[in-house]
Amino acid sequence: MKFTVLETPLAVAEQAAALLAEVLLDPSRAPSGLATGRTMVAVYGCLVSLLQKAGINNLSHWRSFNLDEYVGLGPGDKRSFAAYMDLHLGQPLAIPPTSMLLPNGLAPNPTLEAARYSQQVQSQGIGLQLLGLGENGHVGFNEPPCGATAPCRCVLLSEATRAQNAEAFGGQLLAVPERAITLGIADILAADELLLVVTGANKSAVLRRLLEEPAQEALPASWLQSHPNCLVLADRAAANF
Ligand code: GLP
């Protein structure tokens, strides 16, 4: 893993956006893998202004796969990741929802939906996979304990993760769905390139573990250590140890 520390969250977001733009604008690259969460709001904000300032308004070749979606939430629910993607990238860049793919949170059988999504992702592959980091070491929704070969599947979310994500649900942990569909660690490791973005003092403890401890099931993000092309971009607050 390559590890880069920049002073501010804005500097991190700008750098991540620049790396993403390069890949997204190259039609020869495989589709990008995208993530959600608060960290990515700044990244997508910078990406939108970078593309707009460059006058790039033809994104017809855009093709991306998101990591995860809550079971029970569809694009019509503003708390879904589909709605998040539409708000932060789809609307400002005029990307049709059909070009930004996610697992279908409303599928009647989430296990079958995970298998369908997995096939779809594997048939095209992922070029650059953008990742955020959960405070408990999850990536996507691969909750600990999780092995390196975990496939795309329907998972039960931990209380810690539901608490971390409660903000989008009026601060109520119980309102956060109990299940989600997530790409597995195996899918993530299959991407050509990984970009893990970590900002804020609340991520400092988990980032330190990721950099210092061996790969282990208790820390799902630690499997990224085995990827040949993984960049961790952190701000000073997260790397303050
Ligand atoms: C969430 C998502 C991840 C996200 C991570 C960090 O639970 N499933 O894809 O990257 O946790 O979230 P945040 O950036 O809000 O801290």
Side-chain angles (χ1 to χ4, degrees):
M1 284 193 307
K2 196 176 159 223
F3 181 45
T4 300
V5 180
L6 299 172
E7 281 312 308
T8 64
L10 179 61
V12 167
E14 283 172 347
Q15 171 109 26
L19 293 169
L20 255 179
E22 210 174 291
V23 174
L24 286 164
L25 295 175
D26 181 350
S28 72
R29 292 290 304 259
S32 293
L34 300 180
T36 50
R38 282 155 293 190
T39 312
M40 299 309 159
V41 172
V43 174
Y44 296 148
C46 289
L47 179 65
V48 168
S49 57
L50 195 156
L51 296 178
Q52 286 174 343
K53 274 189 202 141
I56 292 158
N57 47 27
N58 180 5
L59 294 165
S60 56
H61 66 276
W62 183 292
R63 195 100 176 130
S64 59
F65 289 110
N66 265 68
L67 280 167
D68 43 24
E69 180 60 285
Y70 291 114
V71 168
L73 301 189
D77 187 316
K78 66 180 190 336
R79 303 165 304 177
S80 69
F81 290 155
Y84 171 110
M85 293 307 291
D86 190 49
L87 176 69
H88 295 291
L89 286 181
Q91 289 174 32
L93 293 175
I95 306 164
T98 47
S99 299
M100 291 194 302
L101 302 177
L102 298 94
N104 176 8
L106 295 178
N109 183 327
T111 299
L112 288 181
E113 170 57 13
R116 182 203 65 80
Y117 190 64
S118 173
Q119 283 284 314
Q120 197 176 24
V121 169
Q122 281 173 24
S123 69
Q124 297 186 50
I126 290 179
L128 176 66
Q129 175 67 61
L130 182 64
L131 297 161
L133 182 61
E135 286 173 34
N136 66 355
H138 73 229
V139 280
F141 271 135
N142 290 280
E143 298 278 45
C146 180
T149 58
C152 181
R153 67 208 183 284
C154 178
V155 293
L156 264 182
L157 299 177
S158 68
E159 207 164 296
T161 293
R162 291 172 76 207
Q164 189 191 320
N165 290 0
E167 194 181 292
F169 294 82
Q172 294 181 353
L173 183 149
L174 292 178
V176 181
E178 291 176 348
R179 294 184 299 161
I181 297 170
T182 184
L183 287 184
I185 298 289
D187 303 289
I188 292 169
L189 292 178
D192 297 337
E193 208 179 326
L194 305 180
L195 174 57
L196 178 69
V197 184
V198 190
T199 57
N202 59 322
K203 303 285 175 71
S204 177
V206 68
L207 179 61
R208 181 181 185 157
R209 289 187 62 202
L210 171 63
L211 296 171
E212 294 181 354
E213 293 185 14
Q216 56 189 285
E217 293 197 351
L219 189 66
S222 65
W223 300 117
L224 308 186
Q225 294 168 4
S226 66
H227 194 281
N229 191 357
C230 175
L231 171 64
V232 181
L233 260 185
D235 70 347
R236 183 64 59 198
N240 187 22
F241 41 77

